[in-house]
Every structure is written in structure tokens, then in C-alpha cells.
């Protein structure tokens, strides 16, 4: 789904860049409300995990592969605004360091892969959570469905962007049919990965899952023949050191998992072109594709320059990518969290 340079003309790319910049500005403000001392460190880890899993292309049809987009996963784990920022950080690292996704098309990719998937997925997720039983299992079911819908939604948005500014004369009907068809299949893989990951986190630390907040069923008491909410019980005191250790253990487990996926498991990923690459080649969308500005990067194409062993080269590139993404992502979210704290202090003093 990473759009290279040359697929979309300059005016349309500029408009998409403006849309992306506006959405990121809104997301930075919204993320201040979503992030707290528990979720801010998790957000950087989510970005790194998405980077790692995006290296794991899985086969979906003859000669075609797919990979996680991550918008649904990020929105459900850390919130929709923070989710947009998570995926955008990943796209930025991929474009600059790994020559994956054009730099002039960065606005297109953020609009399509970060904004569209996150907004659509979270809207579907919240709608389902409201009608499903208030249980943890419902969160997993809603996560699966939201991720499933988000991927073909991104394919639709790409088709609309291509209709507005595509650089080749290809029937929009053919593009839409091919893109949506293959990305429905990719969406099934996205849904499975998202549901498994959300289910795993919610099993050990449900308090860290943004989408699971407020799902506890209130106890009902019958008073004078009517059901009323029972008074909320006071939370049991939790030792701060124990809570910190639990949080740190989850963070380290997630980081190690991301490093293993990117550094080792990625070697066994499908080598077939992904959905957009396959459609672009088959339909002729790639006729005016331009060389990537970072094609000479030491990490271009997810390999380390001058390392001849393919397994070692790809593994090192994956580990470096996870490390850089977690550092950049954590720094961004730490700054956002600090700004929230700084903004809250004058209000507290005034009160």
C-alpha cells in the first residue's frame, strides 16, 4: 500500500500533504488527552511493533502478498489520535531510511494508511463495542471486524486519490476492482493479527488498552422494585513498585517480540509483491514511477549496505528499524505527554 513517487501528480500530492499536515496537527492535540503515564511509553512500542509486523508479508493470492497496515491496532491500543501519530512515525521512518514509500507521496501515504485506516477502524470498533456485550471478548471481536474493514477502505481511498491525480491513463473501474478485491483478502490477515495482538494485551494488562476503557459492567441492586447502579467500590490499593514492574515487563516483552519479528522472522516473509505493487504492475499504474530519493540509503530495501549475507543484512536492517522507530516514537509521545502535563499545571494552580 506504500505509494511510490510518480504514481500521483504534484498538485494532488500537495493537497494530500496539506490534509495529512492538518490531521497530524489535530492528532497532536488529541493525543494529549489520550496519553497518560501508563500509555505514553506503550505508544512508542506500538509504533515499533507495527514497523516490525509490516516486514512480515504474508501470501494472499497467486503471486501477491500483503502486510499489516496497523491503523486499527494502534487506534484500539492507544487511541485514534495517538494511533494516527504511531502509523505516521512508521511511514516517515520507512520513507527516509528504507526507501519504502515515496517522499513526495508521503502525504498520500499518511492520508491513506494512517488517517483512513485509523478513523475507519475506530469508528467501526466503537460502534460494535456499544452493541456487543460489555466483555473483554467483545473487544477482540470488534477489533477483528474493525481491522477487516479498514484495509479495503484504504484501497477505496487510494482509488479516489488516483482518480483525482493519477499519472497514467488507466480505467478507474479496473483499478478499483483490482485494489479492493486483493485488499479484502489482505484485510483478513490484518484482522487476525490485530485481534490476536489486542487479545494478548488485554489478557495481561486490560487497563492499558484504550478501547477497553469503561467496559466494566456496573453491579445492579434492586431497590423498591427498581434496578439501580450499585455504588462504585473503592479500588484496591496497588503497590507502585509492583505496577511499575508489570508495566516494564510488558514493554520489554513487546520490544523483544518486535526485534525477533523484524530481525529473524522477517527473513521467511513472502517475497511476492504486495497488493498495490501487483495491481500497479498488472494495470500499468507504475509506468511513470520515479526513483526514490533515498534509494542510496544504507538501509534501502530493508537491507544493510555492504553486508552480503541476505539473512544477516535483512535482520540487521529490521533490528535497526525497530530501534530507531521506538526511539523516535517514544520521544514524540514523551514530548506530547510533557506538554499535557505543563498545560494542566496552570489549571491546577488556578483551582
Amino acid at each position: 500500500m506504500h505509494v511510490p513517487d510518480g504514481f500521483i501528480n504534484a498538485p494532488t500530492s500537495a493537497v494530500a500533504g496539506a490534509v495529512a499536515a492538518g490531521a497530524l496537527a489535530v492528532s497532536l492535540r488529541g493525543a494529549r488527552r489520550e496519553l497518560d503515564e501508563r500509555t505514553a511509553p506503550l505508544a512508542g512500542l506500538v509504533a515499533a511493533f507495527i514497523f516490525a509486523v509490516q516486514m512480515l508479508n504474508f501470501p494472499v493470492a497467486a503471486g501477491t502478498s500483503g502486510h499489516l497496515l496497523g491503523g486499527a491496532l494502534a487506534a484500539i491500543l492507544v487511541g485514534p489520535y495517538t494511533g494516527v501519530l504511531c502509523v505516521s512515525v512508521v511511514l516517515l521512518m520507512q520513507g527516509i531510511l528504507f526507501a519504502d514509500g515515496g517522499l513526495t507521496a508521503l502525504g498520500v501515504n499518511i492520508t491513506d494508511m494512517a488517517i483512513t485506516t485509523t478513523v475507519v477502524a475506530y469508528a467501526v470498533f466503537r460502534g460494535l463495542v456499544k452493541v456487543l456485550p460489555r466483555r473483554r471478548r467483545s473487544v477482540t471481536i470488534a477489533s477483528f471486524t474493525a481491522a477487516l474493514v479498514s484495509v479495503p477502505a484504504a484501497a477505496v481511498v487510494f482509488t479516489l486519490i488516483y482518480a483525482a491525480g493519477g499519472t497514467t491513463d488507466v480505467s478507474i473501474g479496473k483499478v478499483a476492482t483490482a485494489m479492493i478485491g486483493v485488499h479484502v483478502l489482505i484485510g483478513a490477515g490484518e484482522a487476525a493479527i490485530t485481534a490476536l495482538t489486542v487479545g494478548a494485551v488485554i489478557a495481561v494488562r486490560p487497563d492499558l488498552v484504550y478501547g477497553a476503557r469503561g467496559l466494566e459492567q456496573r453491579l445492579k441492586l434492586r431497590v423498591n422494585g427498581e434496578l439501580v447502579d450499585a455504588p462504585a467500590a473503592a479500588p484496591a490499593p496497588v503497590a507502585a513498585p509492583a505496577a511499575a514492574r508489570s508495566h516494564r515487563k510488558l514493554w520489554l516483552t513487546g520490544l523483544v517480540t518486535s526485534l525477533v519479528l523484524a530481525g529473524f522472522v522477517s527473513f521467511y516473509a513472502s517475497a511476492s509483491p504486495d497488493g498495490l505493487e501487483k495491481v500497479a504492475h498488472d494495470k500499468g499504474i507504475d509506468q511513470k514511477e520515479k526513483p526514490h530519493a533515498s534509494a542510496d540509503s544504507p538501509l534501502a530495501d530493508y537491507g544493510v549496505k555492504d553486508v552480503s549475507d541476505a539473512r544477516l543484512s535483512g535482520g540487521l536492517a529490521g533490528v535497526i528499524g525497530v530501534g530507531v522507530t521506538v526511539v523516535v516514537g517514544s520521544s514524540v509521545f514523551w514530548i506530547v505527554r510533557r506538554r499535557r502535563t505543563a498545560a494542566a499545571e496552570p489549571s491546577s494552580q488556578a483551582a
Side-chain angles (χ1 to χ4, degrees):
M1 187 67 80
H2 294 76
V3 179
D5 295 319
F7 276 27
I8 307 297
N9 62 30
T12 305
S13 296
V15 171
V19 171
L24 290 177
V26 172
S27 296
L28 283 169
R29 293 181 63 87
R32 294 182 198 174
R33 299 189 298 271
E34 294 174 346
L35 294 171
D36 55 29
E37 65 279 357
R38 298 172 303 167
T39 56
L42 180 64
L45 178 62
V46 169
F49 182 77
I50 290 173
F51 174 90
V53 180
Q54 282 199 6
M55 294 184 66
L56 308 180
N57 282 45
F58 49 84
V60 295
T64 309
S65 69
H67 62 71
L68 182 83
L69 298 185
L73 178 63
I76 294 164
L77 287 179
V78 293
Y81 294 108
T82 308
V84 170
L85 298 178
C86 282
V87 181
S88 297
V89 166
V90 173
L91 294 173
L92 184 63
M93 295 300 98
Q94 291 171 331
I96 294 175
L97 298 179
F98 298 91
D100 189 9
L103 296 183
T104 62
L106 184 60
V108 173
N109 284 322
I110 290 176
T111 300
D112 193 25
M113 296 177 66
I115 301 170
T116 299
T117 58
T118 303
V119 171
V120 170
Y122 197 70
V124 173
F125 175 82
R126 293 308 308 175
L128 289 174
V129 164
K130 288 181 179 180
V131 299
L132 291 171
R134 299 171 69 84
R135 300 172 182 171
R136 294 180 184 178
R137 183 178 299 177
S138 298
V139 175
T140 305
I141 295 172
S143 301
F144 182 94
T145 308
L148 181 66
V149 174
S150 69
V151 177
V156 170
V157 170
F158 169 80
T159 303
L160 295 175
I161 294 174
Y162 186 81
T167 56
T168 54
D169 186 16
V170 180
S171 168
I172 299 304
K174 293 181 179 179
V175 174
T177 301
M179 283 293 294
I180 296 171
V182 71
H183 284 90
V184 166
L185 300 177
I186 295 173
E190 175 110 6
I193 295 171
T194 301
L196 288 172
T197 305
V198 171
V201 177
I202 206 171
V204 294
R205 287 296 302 270
D207 58 305
L208 295 181
V209 179
Y210 183 89
R213 295 179 180 178
L215 292 182
E216 294 82 4
Q217 186 71 42
R218 290 293 299 274
L219 178 65
K220 298 286 186 179
L221 296 178
R222 186 174 297 277
V223 179
N224 296 328
E226 296 183 1
L227 289 176
V228 297
D229 287 333
V238 178
R245 285 195 299 270
S246 176
H247 195 167
R248 191 180 302 114
K249 181 179 179 181
L250 176 65
W251 196 90
L252 289 174
T253 300
L255 179 60
V256 170
T257 301
S258 300
L259 291 171
V260 170
L261 291 175
F264 177 73
V265 181
S266 62
F267 182 79
Y268 301 97
S270 172
S272 299
D274 67 20
L276 177 58
E277 292 173 333
K278 180 66 173 176
V279 172
H281 177 73
D282 291 348
K283 305 301 179 183
I285 297 175
D286 58 355
Q287 295 175 11
K288 296 186 179 181
E289 180 179 350
K290 297 178 180 179
H292 200 285
S294 299
D296 294 330
S297 166
L299 299 173
D301 296 324
Y302 298 93
V304 177
K305 189 176 182 180
D306 298 329
V307 177
S308 57
D309 185 273
R311 185 190 298 260
L312 180 60
S313 177
L316 286 175
V319 169
I320 293 171
V322 168
V324 172
T325 303
V326 77
V327 170
V328 172
S330 298
S331 300
V332 169
F333 299 122
W334 181 81
I335 293 171
V336 172
R337 170 64 181 156
R338 285 288 298 246
R339 287 177 65 87
R340 169 184 170 173
T341 303
E345 287 177 353
S347 300
S348 300
Q349 293 173 359

